[in-house]
Each structure stands twice: as C-alpha cells, then as structure tokens.
Amino acid sequence: MNSLHLHLAHLDHNYKIIREKLDSKTQLIGVVKANVYGVKNQHFIKRLVALGVDYLAVAYAKEGEDLRENGIKIPILVFYPQHDELEKIIDAKLEPCLYNRNILQAFKKIIRKKKVLNYPIHIKYNTGLNRLGFSPKDTAWVIKELKNSLLRLVSVYSHLAASEETRPSSVCVNQIKNFKDIQNKHLKETGIRPKFHLLNSSGVFNYPEFQFDMVRCGIAFHGYANNREWDSDLKPVAALNSKISQIHFVKKGELVGYDNGWRAPQDSRIATLPIGHADGIGRHYGHQNGKVLINGEKAPIVGNICMDLLMVNVTSIECKEMDNATFFNEIHSAADFADSGNSISYELLSNLGPRIVRVVHNEK
Ligand SMILES: *Cc1c(COP(=O)(O)O)cnc(C)c1O
C-alpha cells in the first residue's frame, strides 16, 4: 500500500556534509522532534547517534522520555518544556531549555524539592523571532538566578527568524548582534563558560561563521536546507510511494470526488490512490496543485482530497491498477511536492501519518 522508504545511506551523506561545514570543536545537536520530522523511526535516530551527534533535541518532554525508553543514552535537550512536564524531565534525565522567568523559577523549585545538585539546563533568549525566550534585558536577572543555584548552565542559545533569507538579511544581522551582546554579558559575569549556539540547518549553510560552540540541525539530516542550491548538496532520505487502487473512465462533464471537486473537461482516466488527508496529504494539494509521479510522468491530483483516498488524472499517462505512484523521491523531492501545496518540507514530512509503513534501507 503506502510506504515511506528511508535510505539511511543518504543520512550518512547529509551528516558528512553538515560536519564538513563545522569546525572540529563545534558540537552538533541532532534535532529529532515530532517523531524525527515525521519519519517516525528508531533506526534513523540510532544511525544519527552512531554517526556521532553530540546531543539530541526534542520539543517536548514526552518525546525525550520516549527516546530514553528506546535506550538512547546521550544528552537530550528539551526545547519547549511545559510546567506539567518538569518532574518528567528530571526523572528521564533530560536537559530543559528555560525560556522565561516563570519556568526557570518553577524548575528551581522542583530541583530543590528533589534535592538534585548541579542539574544541566539551557537558557534561551529571544533576539527577534518573538516566539519563546528571555528578553535580552533579562540577562542580568538570569545570571543572578543561576549564580550559586543547583542548576548548571550548559548552554545559552537563540533562534534565527529567517536563517535561509538571502544575505544580507537585516533581521538576522540584528539577531546576531543581540546574541553577541548577550554572550558578552554571560562571559563577563559567570565563572564557568557555557556553550553558545544560534544556527539551525539553513543557518549552518548561510552563516557558518556564526556557529559559536554548537549548532542545531534537523531538516538537513533529511536532505533539505530551505534553498535549492543547498539542497543539492544533500540527499533526501525519505521517498513516499503509493499504489493505484483503481482506474476509472469518466466522460466529459462528469464529476469526480466530494463536493463535485472536479469536472472532466474531456473524456478522462482517473486513478484512485489509497492515501488521503488522514495520512498527511492535506487538502491544499487538491485541485491540481499536487502532482504524483506515475511511470515517470506527473499526474495532477484532481478535486478534493478525501480522508483515505485521492484521485489523480492519468488521461495522458500509460498506467494500470497496482502501478506505483510516487509523491516524492530523490528527483521530485519533498520540498518540490510541498511547494505545490504552498507548504514546506517540514510540514509535509512531519504530518505523514502512522498508516504509512516505514521501510528502512539500512545500506552503509
Ligand atoms: C526545530 C528547531 C531546530 C531545527 O531546525 P531545522 O531547520 O530543522 O534545522 C533548531 N532549533 C530550534 C529551537 C528548533 O525548534
């Protein structure tokens, strides 16, 4: 039926490309949130760890707990801890990012209650994305709160708002300046030197000179860096295949799909595929936006995408029931397919549902 093929040799390649952009002492954080960007596969994570990432990072505590249950031993940073997850973070030996006064004080309280010493934490500053993070104005407060506390500051970081934007990007220039100011304040005040980091995948390609002590890469391991030129250095790990369930002949003027989504402009052949919006192929790919490769040719998705099925126009394509239909692969990449639905590789990959079988190609 539907299968997501994972070529781990391509992960090896992407890892090598990323490492080549880094100084030998720069640490690499492998970001594996949201089920490893929808890949939903332990082999992928284990390969990443075997390749040599220094850290893993997830969004929420439950994701980190799952990694521990799967035997992952390396440090795990939790980007967005919530108040009701703080005990879980300590129990699973995860390292929280503390991003505002409230969460920092709540975490200190729990640490005191549990009588833990020297607990590793990370601090995030908001330098311009305006999402999560301490204000740069809080730097002195943060430094004071951490002094003589039971917490050990491992790293200080921030996140760029437009790391893929063509240079010079005024928003990034500003953020980098803010981050350097914060770095200077921390270096001046504290005894132990924390690590500093700012870059995600595109950042590593666009601003390698600002790699500081660590970088945080997620999508690049999957073969994407939000820019066609950078993408061409990488290899897509995942390919999504489906199979034609049925082919219909419809006469000119006949309707296809829910709510009369498509009217045949001529006598047509329509192929139905067993994949729908419940599997992550959202309705925005309908109405000829998304195109599926069948026997090397592009068949547009017609009408509205259903929950479990969708229809493509194969009038001009030679094909039969049971033939393969490819949503994305190395040639027609997930970034290309996502583009057609006004989306991005991140959303497309991370929405791929559990009904799609993951097939691991473990070749070295
Ligand atoms: C998801 C995330 C990353 C990884 O970004 P990519 O673009 O996938 O490399 C890095 N940092 C933070 C804070 C994130 O939330």
Side-chain angles (χ1 to χ4, degrees), residues 96-322:
C97 162
L98 304 175
Y99 48 83
N100 65 21
R101 291 185 181 213
N102 237 328
I103 201 98
L104 190 149
Q105 284 174 328
F107 195 69
K108 277 180 83 169
K109 205 162 145 195
I110 291 182
I111 284 287
R112 273 199 299 274
K113 194 179 88 191
K114 290 201 170 236
K115 301 195 169 61
V116 195
L117 284 178
N118 224 16
Y119 200 88
I121 60 113
H122 305 253
I123 293 283
K124 183 181 197 180
Y125 285 95
N126 168 31
T127 53
L129 176 60
N130 291 321
R131 193 172 67 175
L132 285 183
F134 282 101
S135 157
K137 292 196 207 97
D138 284 329
T139 313
W141 184 90
V142 170
I143 290 169
K144 190 170 124 284
E145 279 294 300
L146 297 182
K147 219 174 220 169
N148 306 318
S149 77
L150 299 171
L151 305 180
R152 174 167 54 92
L153 179 58
V154 178
S155 85
V156 171
Y157 72 97
S158 189
H159 195 46
L160 293 175
S163 60
E164 70 273 26
E165 198 171 86
T166 308
R167 292 176 72 158
S169 154
S170 59
V171 56
C172 289
V173 166
N174 221 348
Q175 285 191 275
I176 291 164
K177 184 194 163 294
N178 289 341
F179 190 62
K180 282 184 168 170
D181 289 346
I182 291 165
Q183 182 190 32
N184 286 334
K185 284 187 191 147
H186 270 275
L187 288 178
K188 224 182 278 163
E189 301 288 338
T190 50
I192 47 160
R193 186 191 189 282
K195 295 190 182 307
F196 295 88
H197 47 110
L198 185 62
L199 304 181
N200 69 332
S201 296
S202 319
V204 168
F205 283 81
N206 213 0
Y207 297 95
E209 74 271 38
F210 296 118
Q211 57 190 265
F212 295 93
D213 305 304
M214 302 175 108
V215 296
R216 309 181 300 271
C217 289
I219 199 77
F221 289 119
H222 299 268
Y224 303 98
N226 305 314
N227 170 303
R228 292 312 152 107
E229 193 188 315
W230 306 331
D231 286 5
S232 68
D233 288 342
L234 302 166
K235 292 185 180 174
V237 172
L240 177 61
N241 285 338
S242 187
K243 264 191 177 29
I244 298 175
S245 300
Q246 192 170 358
I247 293 179
H248 286 290
F249 294 88
V250 298
K251 286 228 165 336
K252 178 177 175 176
E254 276 193 280
L255 296 158
V256 172
Y258 284 133
D259 301 317
N260 306 332
W262 188 73
R263 184 185 296 275
Q266 62 187 86
D267 291 357
S268 304
R269 281 171 88 226
I270 295 297
T272 302
L273 306 179
I275 189 166
H277 61 72
D279 302 295
I281 307 299
R283 283 167 57 99
H284 46 287
Y285 294 107
H287 300 285
Q288 355 255 348
N289 289 325
K291 292 179 182 64
V292 176
L293 280 179
I294 296 177
N295 296 328
E297 293 190 63
K298 287 185 179 172
I301 299 172
V302 294
N304 289 309
I305 291 178
C306 317
M307 185 182 276
D308 316 299
L309 301 160
L310 59 81
M311 280 71 89
V312 296
N313 186 350
V314 293
T315 307
S316 60
I317 300 175
E318 223 169 278
C319 61
K320 56 185 188 310
E321 290 172 1
M322 298 294 290

Side-chain angles (χ1 to χ4, degrees), residues 16-73:
K16 188 169 143 274
I17 296 290
I18 296 166
R19 273 288 186 203
E20 280 170 6
K21 301 202 177 289
L22 303 179
D23 292 342
S24 59
K25 61 179 195 331
T26 304
Q27 291 198 333
L28 179 50
I29 302 175
V31 181
V32 295
K33 60 195 181 190
N35 284 313
V36 211
Y37 289 52
V39 157
K40 215 174 183 295
N41 188 273
Q42 285 304 316
H43 296 279
F44 189 109
I45 297 178
K46 295 214 160 128
R47 186 73 150 241
L48 206 49
V49 171
L51 282 166
V53 290
D54 300 283
Y55 251 85
L56 290 176
V58 292
Y60 299 107
K62 172 74 170 68
E63 299 176 308
E65 197 181 42
D66 291 347
L67 291 176
R68 289 286 184 243
E69 275 164 19
N70 277 297
I72 299 291
K73 299 276 195 291

